């Protein structure tokens, strides 16, 4: 394991990451941003869910409709971000377990 860590450390020393040009605070956030921007469109089940949500919201006044829709989208985005980061962290834990 220490050999892998030394090689990784040497690689990182030779190839530092510059986060100054983005709004990202960490490499994980930068990875997530690249992932989020690479989506072509939502899968069918998400598109259908938003159509169903719109059916409920259409009975609300426009201001309330927009508030609920925006809240729903923020929650979805936050959950997607958390799930992405959790997935990477679990993957790292698996790698560490395999090389123990």
């Amino acid at each position: 394991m220490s050999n892998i860590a030394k090689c990784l450390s040497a690689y990182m020393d030779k190839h530092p990451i510059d986060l100054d040009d983005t709004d990202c605070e960490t490499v994980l956030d930068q990875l997530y941003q690249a992932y989020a921007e690479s989506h072509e469109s939502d899968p069918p089940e998400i598109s259908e869910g938003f159509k169903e949500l719109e059916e409920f919201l259409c009975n609300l006044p426009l201001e309330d409709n927009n508030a609920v829709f925006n809240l729903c989208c923020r929650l979805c985005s936050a959950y997607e971000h958390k799930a992405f980061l959790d997935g990477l962290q679990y993957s790292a834990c698996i790698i560490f377990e395999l090389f123990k």
Side-chain angles (χ1 to χ4, degrees):
M1 176 71 167
S2 65
N3 216 12
I4 294 171
K6 287 178 186 175
C7 289
L8 183 57
S9 181
Y11 178 85
M12 295 301 294
D13 288 342
K14 289 181 185 177
H15 303 91
I17 296 173
D18 180 14
L19 296 176
D20 290 339
D21 295 337
T22 69
D23 292 334
C24 300
E25 294 181 21
T26 66
V27 174
L28 287 175
D29 288 332
Q30 194 168 28
L31 253 175
Y32 172 73
Q33 184 177 1
Y35 162 77
E37 290 173 1
S38 72
H39 285 25
E40 292 180 15
S41 62
D42 290 330
E45 63 267 13
I46 292 176
S47 296
E48 291 300 317
F50 275 111
K51 286 178 187 173
E52 187 178 342
L53 177 63
E54 186 57 37
E55 289 175 18
F56 289 110
L57 295 178
C58 70
N59 296 316
L60 295 177
L62 182 59
E63 188 174 318
D64 293 340
N65 177 318
N66 288 341
V68 171
F69 187 80
N70 289 333
L71 174 60
C72 183
C73 289
R74 282 195 318 270
L75 290 170
C76 289
S77 294
Y79 187 79
E80 178 186 54
H81 184 251
K82 181 181 177 350
F84 180 84
L85 296 181
D86 286 352
L88 288 175
Q89 289 175 324
Y90 278 109
S91 297
C93 288
I94 289 170
I95 290 169
F96 286 129
E97 285 181 19
L98 291 174
F99 288 103
K100 277 187 179 180

